[in-house]
Amino acid sequence: MVKEQLEEVREHIREACARVGRNPEEVTLIAVSKTKPIPMLQEAYDAGARDFGENKVQELTAKKPELPADIRWHMIGHLQRNKVHQVVGKAVLIHSVDSLRLAQQIEAEAAKQGMGADILLEVNVAREESKFGFFLEEVEEAARTISAFPHVHIRGLMTIAPFVENPEENREIFKKLYQFAVDIGRKNIDNVTMDVLSMGMTGDYQVAIEEGATMVRVGTGIFGAR
């Protein structure tokens, strides 16, 4: 079942790319495996999935040693500063950097481990009170501050759009973040690139791709409802 659903999602990605003239290889599908057991992840891996996203640090650290070493693990959930030491060096990308203090903690831990840490700045485009993230007007200043951290590299932006019945309702949010990423990219801030736009989940990833997403985070669409 996982294999079939994974292929269906890939087909939808190809279709969304075709509608706007994009190359499907520009889009990385992250299989969001939170709360799912190892055998289901293994099934997705056997069907070709290599990028997996976890919301909780303890799940990522528990699953990583149980599964093939070439999996790229993404930390996509809210990250507490006291858990940073468990993630740096294990996740290829931390999508959910939502404060300067968190970025400082990642810098300190990466320096301690003698390695670099790739991050995305989480942006609360819709200004939802229930969500974490920088507001759009705060992002540039945060990026400029973090750009001075030698061990932390900003690779782009991430957003969690509102939960809506009709994915078209989120199109403006994705469009706004894409345009903002383009604007920031043009400013050529040292140590900051805007290559990654992580936006779109099971309900709206096709719209996100049409608006420029380079990473989509799909859980239910691959593994079924939680």
Side-chain angles (χ1 to χ4, degrees):
M1 163 146 149
V2 170
K3 182 181 178 182
E4 289 75 20
Q5 292 187 179
L6 184 61
E7 189 44 54
E8 190 178 330
V9 171
R10 286 182 179 136
E11 181 56 34
H12 288 323
I13 290 172
R14 288 190 287 269
E15 290 166 357
C17 286
R19 285 195 290 273
V20 291
R22 292 184 68 192
N23 181 347
E25 289 177 17
E26 293 173 14
V27 181
T28 301
L29 171 59
I30 298 171
V32 178
S33 44
K34 63 180 181 183
T35 75
K36 294 302 178 184
I38 297 287
M40 287 185 88
L41 276 70
Q42 184 66 51
E43 191 181 339
Y45 177 89
D46 293 341
R50 291 296 178 271
D51 290 270
F52 287 79
E54 286 292 339
N55 281 56
K56 291 193 161 57
V57 172
Q58 57 268 37
E59 277 200 75
L60 190 155
T61 53
K63 289 172 179 175
K64 187 175 179 1
E66 299 289 320
L67 285 152
D70 63 337
I71 285 178
R72 294 179 291 270
W73 293 94
H74 297 254
M75 181 63 204
I76 62 173
H78 178 61
L79 179 57
Q80 294 167 300
R81 295 198 310 281
N82 63 356
K83 302 267 180 75
V84 163
H85 66 284
Q86 297 176 56
V87 170
V88 170
K90 293 189 177 74
V92 297
L93 188 61
I94 301 171
H95 291 230
S96 46
V97 176
D98 56 13
S99 70
L100 279 177
R101 290 175 72 192
L102 177 56
Q104 286 163 342
Q105 190 71 41
I106 294 169
E107 166 63 29
E109 187 56 41
K112 193 156 85 177
Q113 294 189 28
M115 64 185 352
D118 287 348
I119 68 165
L120 304 179
L121 299 184
E122 181 173 352
V123 187
N124 185 350
V125 182
R127 304 178 80 92
E128 289 183 280
E129 284 184 18
S130 60
K131 300 261 174 71
F132 296 98
F134 296 97
F135 293 144
L136 277 169
E137 66 271 17
E138 300 170 331
V139 173
E140 184 178 341
E141 186 181 345
R144 289 186 183 279
T145 302
I146 296 166
S147 73
F149 298 177
H151 300 87
V152 172
H153 313 298
I154 298 175
R155 299 296 186 205
L157 306 175
M158 177 268 235
T159 196
I160 300 171
F163 180 77
V164 290
E165 290 294 324
N166 177 6
E168 283 296 329
E169 291 176 39
N170 282 335
R171 188 177 291 278
E172 278 308 308
I173 282 166
F174 299 142
K175 200 183 288 251
K176 198 178 281 189
L177 192 66
Y178 173 80
Q179 192 52 59
F180 186 78
V182 170
D183 293 343
I184 292 275
R186 284 188 183 134
K187 295 187 175 174
N188 294 320
I189 304 169
D190 282 348
N191 195 27
V192 175
T193 59
M194 286 288 136
D195 299 333
V196 177
L197 212 47
S198 171
M199 57 188 197
M201 305 194 322
T202 293
D204 55 18
Y205 68 90
Q206 295 180 65
V207 172
I209 289 167
E210 290 170 5
E211 296 302 335
T214 67
M215 287 187 176
V216 292
R217 311 177 304 270
V218 179
T220 307
I222 296 170
F223 297 108
R226 290 184 175 79

